[in-house]
Amino acid sequence: MSELLDKRKFYIDGKWVDPVAANDLEVIDPSTEEPVAVISIGAQADTDRAVAAAKAAFASWSKTSPAERLSYVEKILAIYKRRAAEMAQSMTLEMGAPQDMSLASQTGAGTYHIETFIEAYRNFEFIRPLGPHAPTTMVAWEPIGVVGLITPWNWPMNQVTLKVIPAILGGNTAVLKPSEIAPLSSMLFAEIVHEAGLPAGVFNLVNGDGIGVGTQLSVHPDIEMISFTGSTRAGIAISKAAAASLKKVALELGGKGANLIFADADADAVVRGTRHCFNNSGQSCNAPTRMLVQREVYEKAVETAARVAGETAVASAHLPGAHIGPVVSKQQWDKIQDLIQKGIEEGARLVAGGPGLPENVNRGYFVRPTVFADVNNDMTIARQEIFGPVLSIIPFDTEEEAVEIANDTPYGLTNYVQTQDGARRNRLARQLNAGMIEMNGESRGAGSAFGGVKASGRAREGGWMGLEEFMDSKFISGWSLND
């Protein structure tokens, strides 16, 4: 125990405190399968203590001016940037993001979201007219109260900043429960918040699992909102738990993105789509894991995707370079292996990768970049979210068939379109059933909200919509225009 990082404290009411009841859990480095830290799992008393601190702080924090709240977030951003290397190292240790990727993408996502929230907040009108037809009717945006934030392990700072920053900018106080698999980066984030001087109780952190602290937050009578990112199964459970107290619930859940590649797609479309699927070792809810390819260019696309998979290096997250690292845990590795085997058994054509460890490693939760061709939408690998570097390629003949296949899924997070036909792009953008549509490799503009429909949840995180997510609207008539 002495050689492990001791992270058994919680951040409550502006200070690091010991848990009420010690229940320790080791954090495992997925590159080595070795423990690197020990945390404590919170009990009901720890959750209650954090919620009480947040509730006490809400009275004063909710009355601070927008300018004052913004100044704290600007301090958080400055410290976050200064400690970026530490943050990247934390995520490399806890969830296996390779060094370079962890700094540029994992840590960089946090920087990006804080910056875009700052920009959106500067232009946010907390009291605005309903419209010229009703000049004395106003819409006011008010804090909700104490919010419970439950974040996942796959993009830790992406999700923490998408929740904590708009919550506190909106005048709320917060209790964060990060994933118990990857808690180290969130604990460092708590240090950053503390260094920024945020008033005691505005932000609190309690480590725990979903069954324990996650459920305790979901049913707690003093919490007004739960914001959760994770699996659809857990999102359903949280919704049921929160229903009794009529909390606001915002869910950002899984995905099974379709990437529609037409015969006139640009030359890099298949390479780009395959790499995107493998990014973060396939552990992204918006990954384009179903590649739908028009029949005329299908075999060439299969050949290209197989080549990209073969060229995708897999190595320890502790090494520099452009490679993918391990998946997060043995449980996740086992699930991916089972699904790869299921693809083989159901008749998909394995053209790259497959079950087992890559040739160059003998330990760690590494997965071979895998490509299946001749997949149909009834196969398990086309229906279930695999959350690993596994691509399923499905042929189609017509635009209408492509839309039917793409929409034939419980999920609806992100779909992708690759075609040079502008009219077709515009048609498909409206016909595809998802919260986000990205076309021809163009990223969504800064300030766009992230979120889906159906089993992907209906949260809208980021930008001005992400700010509104953490506030209640109030409609006021008879507003005096002269005061």
Side-chain angles (χ1 to χ4, degrees), residues 254-446:
K256 194 68 182 175
N259 186 7
L260 281 58
I261 298 182
F262 288 84
D264 67 342
D266 66 88
D268 295 328
V270 174
V271 173
R272 183 171 63 242
T274 306
R275 288 176 177 167
H276 190 174
C277 176
F278 296 159
N279 184 48
N280 201 39
S281 301
Q283 300 171 122
S284 299
C285 52
N286 64 338
T289 54
R290 292 183 298 153
M291 182 179 283
L292 280 53
V293 183
Q294 198 161 26
R295 190 83 60 180
E296 296 95 302
V297 293
Y298 178 75
E299 287 300 336
K300 183 179 179 182
V302 169
E303 179 183 323
T304 300
R307 174 177 55 79
V308 172
E311 294 171 350
T312 301
V314 182
S316 169
H318 300 287
L319 297 174
H323 58 274
I324 65 172
V327 296
V328 74
S329 66
K330 180 63 162 58
Q331 181 182 14
Q332 187 68 17
W333 190 88
D334 286 341
K335 174 193 171 186
I336 295 165
Q337 297 303 309
D338 288 345
L339 286 166
I340 290 173
Q341 188 61 42
K342 193 74 169 176
I344 295 170
E345 292 171 359
E346 292 184 354
R349 175 163 53 113
L350 181 65
V351 297
L357 289 170
E359 294 179 0
N360 62 324
V361 296
N362 58 15
R363 65 172 182 166
Y365 308 128
F366 297 95
V367 176
R368 301 171 68 192
T370 297
V371 177
F372 283 104
D374 303 346
V375 177
N376 67 64
N377 223 33
D378 293 325
M379 292 180 178
T380 303
I381 57 173
R383 307 302 297 178
Q384 290 190 20
E385 186 180 33
I386 299 174
F387 235 56
V390 181
L391 176 66
S392 298
I393 307 182
I394 304 171
F396 71 86
D397 291 299
T398 67
E399 180 179 320
E400 293 74 22
E401 183 187 10
V403 171
E404 182 179 356
I405 294 170
N407 287 342
D408 179 23
T409 174
Y411 298 103
L413 190 58
T414 315
N415 285 328
Y416 303 82
V417 176
Q418 321 298 328
T419 177
Q420 300 305 304
D421 185 332
R424 173 186 283 157
R425 290 201 305 273
N426 292 350
R427 283 195 305 273
L428 291 171
R430 302 302 302 276
Q431 293 171 3
L432 292 170
N433 195 5
M436 298 172 286
I437 309 295
E438 297 186 10
M439 300 188 285
N440 288 357
E442 182 176 332
S443 298
R444 291 169 294 112

Side-chain angles (χ1 to χ4, degrees), residues 78 85 195 200 249 252 341 349 391 479:
E195 187 178 344
V249 178
E252 197 278 283
Q341 188 61 42
R349 175 163 53 113
L391 176 66
W479 187 266

